[in-house]
mmCIF file of all heavy atoms in Angstrom:
data_model
loop_
_atom_site.group_PDB
_atom_site.id
_atom_site.type_symbol
_atom_site.label_atom_id
_atom_site.label_comp_id
_atom_site.label_asym_id
_atom_site.label_seq_id
_atom_site.Cartn_x
_atom_site.Cartn_y
_atom_site.Cartn_z
ATOM 1 N N ALA H 1 51.325 10.844 -4.906
ATOM 2 C CA ALA H 1 50.872 11.470 -3.658
ATOM 3 C C ALA H 1 51.021 12.976 -3.850
ATOM 4 O O ALA H 1 50.319 13.660 -3.079
ATOM 5 C CB ALA H 1 51.806 11.004 -2.490
ATOM 6 N N LYS H 2 51.759 13.480 -4.861
ATOM 7 C CA LYS H 2 52.037 14.930 -4.936
ATOM 8 C C LYS H 2 51.976 15.239 -6.359
ATOM 9 O O LYS H 2 52.848 15.661 -6.980
ATOM 10 C CB LYS H 2 53.400 15.330 -4.345
ATOM 11 C CG LYS H 2 53.472 15.142 -2.773
ATOM 12 C CD LYS H 2 54.751 15.770 -2.366
ATOM 13 C CE LYS H 2 54.833 15.612 -0.706
ATOM 14 N NZ LYS H 2 56.014 16.119 -0.182
ATOM 15 N N PRO H 3 50.814 15.061 -7.006
ATOM 16 C CA PRO H 3 50.697 15.411 -8.396
ATOM 17 C C PRO H 3 50.526 16.878 -8.714
ATOM 18 O O PRO H 3 50.257 17.661 -7.833
ATOM 19 C CB PRO H 3 49.359 14.818 -8.883
ATOM 20 C CG PRO H 3 48.554 14.899 -7.600
ATOM 21 C CD PRO H 3 49.484 14.622 -6.563
ATOM 22 N N LEU H 4 50.930 17.286 -9.944
ATOM 23 C CA LEU H 4 50.667 18.693 -10.452
ATOM 24 C C LEU H 4 49.219 18.665 -11.176
ATOM 25 O O LEU H 4 48.957 17.634 -11.611
ATOM 26 C CB LEU H 4 51.866 19.124 -11.351
ATOM 27 C CG LEU H 4 53.137 19.247 -10.720
ATOM 28 C CD1 LEU H 4 54.177 19.460 -11.751
ATOM 29 C CD2 LEU H 4 53.319 20.411 -9.735
ATOM 30 N N ASP H 5 48.775 19.895 -11.206
ATOM 31 C CA ASP H 5 47.445 20.102 -11.850
ATOM 32 C C ASP H 5 47.610 20.521 -13.244
ATOM 33 O O ASP H 5 48.452 21.481 -13.457
ATOM 34 C CB ASP H 5 46.594 21.157 -10.992
ATOM 35 C CG ASP H 5 46.165 20.489 -9.665
ATOM 36 O OD1 ASP H 5 45.741 19.268 -9.647
ATOM 37 O OD2 ASP H 5 46.377 21.128 -8.634
ATOM 38 N N ILE H 6 46.783 20.043 -14.142
ATOM 39 C CA ILE H 6 46.772 20.646 -15.522
ATOM 40 C C ILE H 6 45.279 20.748 -16.021
ATOM 41 O O ILE H 6 44.463 20.218 -15.297
ATOM 42 C CB ILE H 6 47.621 19.700 -16.477
ATOM 43 C CG1 ILE H 6 46.814 18.416 -16.534
ATOM 44 C CG2 ILE H 6 48.994 19.557 -16.067
ATOM 45 C CD1 ILE H 6 47.405 17.483 -17.624
ATOM 46 N N ASN H 7 45.088 21.493 -17.009
ATOM 47 C CA ASN H 7 43.818 21.506 -17.691
ATOM 48 C C ASN H 7 44.021 20.935 -19.061
ATOM 49 O O ASN H 7 44.970 21.030 -19.771
ATOM 50 C CB ASN H 7 43.427 22.923 -17.896
ATOM 51 C CG ASN H 7 43.068 23.535 -16.532
ATOM 52 O OD1 ASN H 7 42.472 23.053 -15.601
ATOM 53 N ND2 ASN H 7 43.425 24.834 -16.446
ATOM 54 N N ILE H 8 43.024 20.092 -19.444
ATOM 55 C CA ILE H 8 42.939 19.504 -20.847
ATOM 56 C C ILE H 8 42.258 20.504 -21.760
ATOM 57 O O ILE H 8 41.214 21.237 -21.509
ATOM 58 C CB ILE H 8 42.145 18.153 -20.688
ATOM 59 C CG1 ILE H 8 42.723 17.104 -19.874
ATOM 60 C CG2 ILE H 8 41.988 17.559 -22.199
ATOM 61 C CD1 ILE H 8 42.000 15.850 -19.736
ATOM 62 N N PRO H 9 42.948 20.768 -22.922
ATOM 63 C CA PRO H 9 44.044 19.997 -23.548
ATOM 64 C C PRO H 9 45.384 20.450 -22.915
ATOM 65 O O PRO H 9 45.480 21.577 -22.626
ATOM 66 C CB PRO H 9 43.901 20.284 -24.971
ATOM 67 C CG PRO H 9 43.255 21.621 -25.109
ATOM 68 C CD PRO H 9 42.293 21.668 -23.908
ATOM 69 N N TYR H 10 46.336 19.504 -23.060
ATOM 70 C CA TYR H 10 47.608 19.885 -22.450
ATOM 71 C C TYR H 10 48.680 19.024 -23.219
ATOM 72 O O TYR H 10 48.533 17.953 -23.817
ATOM 73 C CB TYR H 10 47.686 19.242 -21.002
ATOM 74 C CG TYR H 10 48.965 19.451 -20.338
ATOM 75 C CD1 TYR H 10 49.349 20.609 -19.715
ATOM 76 C CD2 TYR H 10 49.953 18.388 -20.227
ATOM 77 C CE1 TYR H 10 50.578 20.798 -19.101
ATOM 78 C CE2 TYR H 10 51.029 18.445 -19.597
ATOM 79 C CZ TYR H 10 51.420 19.791 -18.990
ATOM 80 O OH TYR H 10 52.641 19.867 -18.404
ATOM 81 N N ARG H 11 49.831 19.828 -23.315
ATOM 82 C CA ARG H 11 51.041 19.157 -24.020
ATOM 83 C C ARG H 11 52.196 19.633 -23.236
ATOM 84 O O ARG H 11 52.370 20.823 -22.842
ATOM 85 C CB ARG H 11 51.005 19.523 -25.449
ATOM 86 C CG ARG H 11 52.282 19.157 -26.198
ATOM 87 C CD ARG H 11 52.245 19.389 -27.706
ATOM 88 N NE ARG H 11 51.232 18.640 -28.441
ATOM 89 C CZ ARG H 11 50.295 19.313 -29.186
ATOM 90 N NH1 ARG H 11 50.363 20.518 -29.377
ATOM 91 N NH2 ARG H 11 49.468 18.464 -29.852
ATOM 92 N N GLU H 12 53.194 18.589 -23.040
ATOM 93 C CA GLU H 12 54.467 19.094 -22.476
ATOM 94 C C GLU H 12 55.591 18.164 -23.210
ATOM 95 O O GLU H 12 55.203 17.128 -23.597
ATOM 96 C CB GLU H 12 54.476 18.788 -20.947
ATOM 97 C CG GLU H 12 54.604 17.415 -20.530
ATOM 98 C CD GLU H 12 54.911 17.162 -19.023
ATOM 99 O OE1 GLU H 12 54.531 18.089 -18.284
ATOM 100 O OE2 GLU H 12 55.531 16.178 -18.602
ATOM 101 N N THR H 13 56.631 18.701 -23.308
ATOM 102 C CA THR H 13 57.850 18.059 -23.795
ATOM 103 C C THR H 13 58.868 18.080 -22.633
ATOM 104 O O THR H 13 59.174 19.162 -22.047
ATOM 105 C CB THR H 13 58.590 18.769 -25.059
ATOM 106 O OG1 THR H 13 57.584 18.690 -26.024
ATOM 107 C CG2 THR H 13 59.798 18.058 -25.424
ATOM 108 N N GLY H 14 59.284 16.840 -22.317
ATOM 109 C CA GLY H 14 60.192 16.750 -21.093
ATOM 110 C C GLY H 14 61.414 15.858 -21.395
ATOM 111 O O GLY H 14 61.608 15.294 -22.496
ATOM 112 N N TYR H 15 62.299 15.595 -20.455
ATOM 113 C CA TYR H 15 63.415 14.853 -20.552
ATOM 114 C C TYR H 15 63.657 13.984 -19.316
ATOM 115 O O TYR H 15 63.625 14.351 -18.169
ATOM 116 C CB TYR H 15 64.659 15.701 -20.689
ATOM 117 C CG TYR H 15 65.927 15.003 -21.174
ATOM 118 C CD1 TYR H 15 66.211 14.587 -22.360
ATOM 119 C CD2 TYR H 15 66.813 14.521 -20.075
ATOM 120 C CE1 TYR H 15 67.347 14.045 -22.756
ATOM 121 C CE2 TYR H 15 67.977 13.934 -20.432
ATOM 122 C CZ TYR H 15 68.280 13.561 -21.762
ATOM 123 O OH TYR H 15 69.385 12.916 -22.061
ATOM 124 N N PHE H 16 63.938 12.670 -19.526
ATOM 125 C CA PHE H 16 64.278 11.798 -18.358
ATOM 126 C C PHE H 16 65.721 11.444 -18.630
ATOM 127 O O PHE H 16 66.191 10.960 -19.638
ATOM 128 C CB PHE H 16 63.434 10.517 -18.446
ATOM 129 C CG PHE H 16 62.055 10.669 -18.087
ATOM 130 C CD1 PHE H 16 60.950 10.453 -18.879
ATOM 131 C CD2 PHE H 16 61.576 11.218 -16.820
ATOM 132 C CE1 PHE H 16 59.607 10.507 -18.661
ATOM 133 C CE2 PHE H 16 60.283 11.377 -16.515
ATOM 134 C CZ PHE H 16 59.236 11.021 -17.371
ATOM 135 N N ALA H 17 66.499 11.589 -17.628
ATOM 136 C CA ALA H 17 67.967 11.298 -17.646
ATOM 137 C C ALA H 17 68.192 9.905 -17.071
ATOM 138 O O ALA H 17 67.656 9.358 -16.014
ATOM 139 C CB ALA H 17 68.689 12.303 -16.684
ATOM 140 N N ALA H 18 69.267 9.268 -17.692
ATOM 141 C CA ALA H 18 69.602 7.895 -17.206
ATOM 142 C C ALA H 18 70.153 7.773 -15.824
ATOM 143 O O ALA H 18 69.938 6.764 -15.256
ATOM 144 C CB ALA H 18 70.597 7.422 -18.259
ATOM 145 N N ASP H 19 70.784 8.904 -15.350
ATOM 146 C CA ASP H 19 71.311 8.760 -14.028
ATOM 147 C C ASP H 19 70.520 9.100 -12.865
ATOM 148 O O ASP H 19 70.757 9.290 -11.731
ATOM 149 C CB ASP H 19 72.649 9.717 -13.882
ATOM 150 C CG ASP H 19 72.274 11.036 -14.295
ATOM 151 O OD1 ASP H 19 71.112 11.390 -14.728
ATOM 152 O OD2 ASP H 19 73.112 11.985 -13.901
ATOM 153 N N LYS H 20 69.052 9.321 -13.286
ATOM 154 C CA LYS H 20 68.068 9.550 -12.251
ATOM 155 C C LYS H 20 66.945 8.581 -12.417
ATOM 156 O O LYS H 20 66.413 8.299 -13.472
ATOM 157 C CB LYS H 20 67.546 10.958 -12.340
ATOM 158 C CG LYS H 20 68.750 11.983 -12.210
ATOM 159 C CD LYS H 20 68.283 13.479 -12.455
ATOM 160 C CE LYS H 20 69.346 14.437 -12.435
ATOM 161 N NZ LYS H 20 68.841 15.720 -12.849
ATOM 162 N N ALA H 21 66.320 8.315 -11.343
ATOM 163 C CA ALA H 21 64.911 7.553 -11.240
ATOM 164 C C ALA H 21 63.856 8.531 -11.449
ATOM 165 O O ALA H 21 63.431 9.143 -10.216
ATOM 166 C CB ALA H 21 64.889 6.631 -10.154
ATOM 167 N N GLY H 22 63.437 8.891 -12.577
ATOM 168 C CA GLY H 22 62.435 9.938 -12.827
ATOM 169 C C GLY H 22 61.096 9.496 -12.734
ATOM 170 O O GLY H 22 60.670 8.368 -12.828
ATOM 171 N N GLY H 23 60.139 10.560 -12.885
ATOM 172 C CA GLY H 23 58.682 10.242 -12.890
ATOM 173 C C GLY H 23 57.929 11.502 -12.669
ATOM 174 O O GLY H 23 58.438 12.445 -12.077
ATOM 175 N N THR H 24 56.645 11.516 -13.244
ATOM 176 C CA THR H 24 55.846 12.720 -12.826
ATOM 177 C C THR H 24 54.408 12.180 -12.909
ATOM 178 O O THR H 24 54.033 11.120 -13.290
ATOM 179 C CB THR H 24 56.170 13.660 -14.050
ATOM 180 O OG1 THR H 24 55.350 14.856 -13.791
ATOM 181 C CG2 THR H 24 55.466 13.190 -15.418
ATOM 182 N N ALA H 25 53.558 13.033 -12.264
ATOM 183 C CA ALA H 25 52.161 12.730 -12.147
ATOM 184 C C ALA H 25 51.296 14.079 -12.303
ATOM 185 O O ALA H 25 51.657 15.104 -11.794
ATOM 186 C CB ALA H 25 51.698 12.018 -10.828
ATOM 187 N N LEU H 26 50.267 13.958 -13.222
ATOM 188 C CA LEU H 26 49.478 15.191 -13.668
ATOM 189 C C LEU H 26 48.087 14.813 -13.205
ATOM 190 O O LEU H 26 47.608 13.814 -13.642
ATOM 191 C CB LEU H 26 49.682 15.403 -15.060
ATOM 192 C CG LEU H 26 51.177 15.631 -15.592
ATOM 193 C CD1 LEU H 26 51.110 15.787 -17.038
ATOM 194 C CD2 LEU H 26 51.678 16.971 -14.829
ATOM 195 N N ARG H 27 47.323 15.809 -12.645
ATOM 196 C CA ARG H 27 46.045 15.621 -12.163
ATOM 197 C C ARG H 27 45.163 16.465 -12.986
ATOM 198 O O ARG H 27 45.426 17.683 -13.144
ATOM 199 C CB ARG H 27 45.886 15.853 -10.700
ATOM 200 C CG ARG H 27 44.409 15.779 -10.137
ATOM 201 C CD ARG H 27 44.539 15.964 -8.565
ATOM 202 N NE ARG H 27 45.188 17.177 -8.218
ATOM 203 C CZ ARG H 27 45.604 17.362 -6.939
ATOM 204 N NH1 ARG H 27 45.634 16.486 -6.089
ATOM 205 N NH2 ARG H 27 46.325 18.535 -6.727
ATOM 206 N N PHE H 28 43.954 16.056 -13.330
ATOM 207 C CA PHE H 28 42.982 16.790 -14.115
ATOM 208 C C PHE H 28 41.657 16.323 -13.978
ATOM 209 O O PHE H 28 41.457 15.190 -13.482
ATOM 210 C CB PHE H 28 43.400 16.823 -15.611
ATOM 211 C CG PHE H 28 43.566 15.446 -16.107
ATOM 212 C CD1 PHE H 28 42.467 14.862 -16.753
ATOM 213 C CD2 PHE H 28 44.801 14.852 -16.194
ATOM 214 C CE1 PHE H 28 42.722 13.438 -17.284
ATOM 215 C CE2 PHE H 28 44.993 13.476 -16.726
ATOM 216 C CZ PHE H 28 43.855 12.891 -17.208
ATOM 217 N N THR H 29 40.554 17.220 -14.205
ATOM 218 C CA THR H 29 39.160 16.883 -14.145
ATOM 219 C C THR H 29 38.666 16.716 -15.499
ATOM 220 O O THR H 29 38.939 17.342 -16.493
ATOM 221 C CB THR H 29 38.347 17.874 -13.391
ATOM 222 O OG1 THR H 29 38.468 19.142 -14.059
ATOM 223 C CG2 THR H 29 38.878 18.098 -11.978
ATOM 224 N N VAL H 30 37.632 15.602 -15.545
ATOM 225 C CA VAL H 30 37.002 15.388 -16.854
ATOM 226 C C VAL H 30 35.486 15.024 -16.529
ATOM 227 O O VAL H 30 35.164 14.497 -15.598
ATOM 228 C CB VAL H 30 37.601 13.989 -17.560
ATOM 229 C CG1 VAL H 30 37.225 14.020 -18.961
ATOM 230 C CG2 VAL H 30 39.152 14.203 -17.483
ATOM 231 N N LYS H 31 34.713 15.346 -17.499
ATOM 232 C CA LYS H 31 33.212 15.046 -17.357
ATOM 233 C C LYS H 31 32.851 13.607 -17.874
ATOM 234 O O LYS H 31 33.548 13.080 -18.745
ATOM 235 C CB LYS H 31 32.408 16.021 -18.165
ATOM 236 C CG LYS H 31 32.220 17.315 -17.530
ATOM 237 C CD LYS H 31 31.349 18.269 -18.362
ATOM 238 C CE LYS H 31 31.098 19.585 -17.631
ATOM 239 N NZ LYS H 31 30.374 19.431 -16.382
ATOM 240 N N ARG H 32 31.884 13.047 -17.285
ATOM 241 C CA ARG H 32 31.490 11.636 -17.787
ATOM 242 C C ARG H 32 31.039 11.841 -19.191
ATOM 243 O O ARG H 32 30.453 12.787 -19.673
ATOM 244 C CB ARG H 32 30.279 11.179 -16.998
ATOM 245 C CG ARG H 32 29.827 9.871 -17.455
ATOM 246 C CD ARG H 32 28.639 9.340 -16.569
ATOM 247 N NE ARG H 32 28.341 8.057 -17.108
ATOM 248 C CZ ARG H 32 27.262 7.300 -16.623
ATOM 249 N NH1 ARG H 32 26.618 7.691 -15.557
ATOM 250 N NH2 ARG H 32 26.981 5.979 -17.036
ATOM 251 N N GLY H 33 31.396 10.857 -20.076
ATOM 252 C CA GLY H 33 30.927 10.848 -21.450
ATOM 253 C C GLY H 33 32.181 11.327 -22.293
ATOM 254 O O GLY H 33 32.137 11.046 -23.512
ATOM 255 N N LYS H 34 33.150 11.903 -21.871
ATOM 256 C CA LYS H 34 34.311 12.236 -22.616
ATOM 257 C C LYS H 34 35.249 11.049 -22.808
ATOM 258 O O LYS H 34 35.273 9.990 -21.981
ATOM 259 C CB LYS H 34 35.115 13.399 -21.862
ATOM 260 C CG LYS H 34 34.526 14.695 -21.986
ATOM 261 C CD LYS H 34 34.502 15.282 -23.324
ATOM 262 C CE LYS H 34 34.038 16.734 -23.378
ATOM 263 N NZ LYS H 34 34.060 17.268 -24.770
ATOM 264 N N LYS H 35 36.016 10.999 -23.796
ATOM 265 C CA LYS H 35 37.015 10.106 -24.096
ATOM 266 C C LYS H 35 38.318 10.700 -24.077
ATOM 267 O O LYS H 35 38.578 11.553 -24.793
ATOM 268 C CB LYS H 35 36.842 9.319 -25.413
ATOM 269 C CG LYS H 35 37.903 8.255 -25.735
ATOM 270 C CD LYS H 35 37.834 7.654 -27.058
ATOM 271 C CE LYS H 35 36.541 6.705 -27.121
ATOM 272 N NZ LYS H 35 36.411 5.957 -28.465
ATOM 273 N N ILE H 36 39.141 10.274 -23.072
ATOM 274 C CA ILE H 36 40.628 10.740 -23.001
ATOM 275 C C ILE H 36 41.477 10.100 -23.956
ATOM 276 O O ILE H 36 41.404 8.971 -24.053
ATOM 277 C CB ILE H 36 41.008 10.620 -21.553
ATOM 278 C CG1 ILE H 36 40.197 11.261 -20.479
ATOM 279 C CG2 ILE H 36 42.430 11.240 -21.299
ATOM 280 C CD1 ILE H 36 40.365 10.855 -19.082
ATOM 281 N N SER H 37 42.216 10.880 -24.645
ATOM 282 C CA SER H 37 43.403 10.389 -25.471
ATOM 283 C C SER H 37 44.666 10.889 -25.000
ATOM 284 O O SER H 37 44.892 12.125 -24.789
ATOM 285 C CB SER H 37 43.038 10.851 -26.965
ATOM 286 O OG SER H 37 44.010 10.285 -27.826
ATOM 287 N N ILE H 38 45.575 10.034 -24.749
ATOM 288 C CA ILE H 38 46.880 10.314 -24.163
ATOM 289 C C ILE H 38 47.945 9.742 -25.212
ATOM 290 O O ILE H 38 48.006 8.409 -25.345
ATOM 291 C CB ILE H 38 47.005 9.648 -22.874
ATOM 292 C CG1 ILE H 38 46.150 10.274 -21.781
ATOM 293 C CG2 ILE H 38 48.448 9.856 -22.389
ATOM 294 C CD1 ILE H 38 45.950 9.442 -20.523
ATOM 295 N N ALA H 39 48.685 10.671 -25.703
ATOM 296 C CA ALA H 39 49.693 10.202 -26.772
ATOM 297 C C ALA H 39 51.192 10.537 -26.370
ATOM 298 O O ALA H 39 51.287 11.667 -25.667
ATOM 299 C CB ALA H 39 49.482 10.742 -28.139
ATOM 300 N N ILE H 40 52.059 9.654 -26.600
ATOM 301 C CA ILE H 40 53.394 10.003 -26.127
ATOM 302 C C ILE H 40 54.349 9.726 -27.241
ATOM 303 O O ILE H 40 54.391 8.497 -27.871
ATOM 304 C CB ILE H 40 53.882 9.089 -24.922
ATOM 305 C CG1 ILE H 40 52.972 9.241 -23.662
ATOM 306 C CG2 ILE H 40 55.313 9.477 -24.563
ATOM 307 C CD1 ILE H 40 53.111 8.437 -22.579
ATOM 308 N N THR H 41 55.204 10.718 -27.677
ATOM 309 C CA THR H 41 56.110 10.432 -28.607
ATOM 310 C C THR H 41 57.529 10.567 -27.903
ATOM 311 O O THR H 41 57.629 11.255 -27.009
ATOM 312 C CB THR H 41 56.147 11.386 -29.857
ATOM 313 O OG1 THR H 41 56.233 12.820 -29.288
ATOM 314 C CG2 THR H 41 54.753 11.374 -30.573
ATOM 315 N N LYS H 42 58.499 9.786 -28.554
ATOM 316 C CA LYS H 42 59.783 9.612 -27.654
ATOM 317 C C LYS H 42 60.862 9.717 -28.721
ATOM 318 O O LYS H 42 60.948 9.385 -29.807
ATOM 319 C CB LYS H 42 59.750 8.165 -26.966
ATOM 320 C CG LYS H 42 58.701 7.955 -25.984
ATOM 321 C CD LYS H 42 58.572 6.555 -25.556
ATOM 322 C CE LYS H 42 58.188 5.621 -26.732
ATOM 323 N NZ LYS H 42 57.776 4.191 -26.149
ATOM 324 N N LYS H 43 62.025 10.284 -28.013
ATOM 325 C CA LYS H 43 63.272 10.237 -28.785
ATOM 326 C C LYS H 43 64.436 9.876 -27.812
ATOM 327 O O LYS H 43 64.621 10.431 -26.726
ATOM 328 C CB LYS H 43 63.668 11.808 -29.256
ATOM 329 C CG LYS H 43 62.758 12.375 -30.149
ATOM 330 C CD LYS H 43 63.185 13.716 -30.497
ATOM 331 C CE LYS H 43 62.123 14.606 -31.373
ATOM 332 N NZ LYS H 43 62.604 15.851 -31.669
ATOM 333 N N PRO H 44 64.966 8.680 -28.059
ATOM 334 C CA PRO H 44 64.744 7.833 -29.171
ATOM 335 C C PRO H 44 63.391 6.919 -28.990
ATOM 336 O O PRO H 44 62.847 6.929 -27.930
ATOM 337 C CB PRO H 44 65.896 6.687 -28.986
ATOM 338 C CG PRO H 44 66.338 6.800 -27.644
ATOM 339 C CD PRO H 44 66.025 8.118 -27.190
ATOM 340 N N ALA H 45 62.995 6.453 -30.071
ATOM 341 C CA ALA H 45 61.578 5.842 -30.111
ATOM 342 C C ALA H 45 61.440 4.535 -29.372
ATOM 343 O O ALA H 45 60.307 4.059 -28.974
ATOM 344 C CB ALA H 45 61.164 5.638 -31.509
ATOM 345 N N ASN H 46 62.707 3.898 -29.190
ATOM 346 C CA ASN H 46 62.549 2.559 -28.438
ATOM 347 C C ASN H 46 62.723 2.610 -26.890
ATOM 348 O O ASN H 46 62.806 1.538 -26.341
ATOM 349 C CB ASN H 46 63.760 1.643 -29.027
ATOM 350 C CG ASN H 46 65.197 2.318 -28.684
ATOM 351 O OD1 ASN H 46 65.311 3.497 -28.281
ATOM 352 N ND2 ASN H 46 66.005 1.499 -28.888
ATOM 353 N N ILE H 47 62.702 3.671 -26.257
ATOM 354 C CA ILE H 47 62.693 3.735 -24.845
ATOM 355 C C ILE H 47 61.336 3.438 -24.307
ATOM 356 O O ILE H 47 60.258 3.704 -24.926
ATOM 357 C CB ILE H 47 63.199 5.125 -24.241
ATOM 358 C CG1 ILE H 47 62.290 6.204 -24.802
ATOM 359 C CG2 ILE H 47 64.584 5.287 -24.854
ATOM 360 C CD1 ILE H 47 62.532 7.505 -24.062
ATOM 361 N N ASN H 48 61.144 2.881 -23.123
ATOM 362 C CA ASN H 48 60.036 2.651 -22.545
ATOM 363 C C ASN H 48 59.612 3.680 -21.500
ATOM 364 O O ASN H 48 60.385 3.897 -20.510
ATOM 365 C CB ASN H 48 59.986 1.298 -21.800
ATOM 366 C CG ASN H 48 59.883 0.096 -22.832
ATOM 367 O OD1 ASN H 48 59.314 0.166 -23.828
ATOM 368 N ND2 ASN H 48 60.515 -1.027 -22.539
#
């Protein structure tokens, strides 16, 4: 309901803490015909 705005290409490094129920939403515009690629690397790698 309250996303932040970004422009593609975009990269961020963030942190989710165990003692908080976290989350984020990012809004952007794209033209028809583009293929969006979204990659996430994690530390540790086994978190969901």
Side-chain angles (χ1 to χ4, degrees):
K2 295 182 178 180
L4 294 171
D5 292 317
I6 63 170
N7 294 317
I8 296 177
Y10 177 80
R11 178 177 288 131
E12 75 172 32
T13 294
Y15 188 88
F16 290 122
D19 60 345
K20 301 173 185 176
T24 189
L26 304 170
R27 179 174 54 199
F28 49 90
T29 60
V30 196
K31 286 182 173 293
R32 180 179 182 180
K34 287 291 188 181
K35 179 183 286 186
I36 302 170
S37 179
I38 298 167
I40 304 171
T41 59
K42 301 170 290 186
K43 296 180 184 179
N46 62 344
I47 64 174
N48 284 328

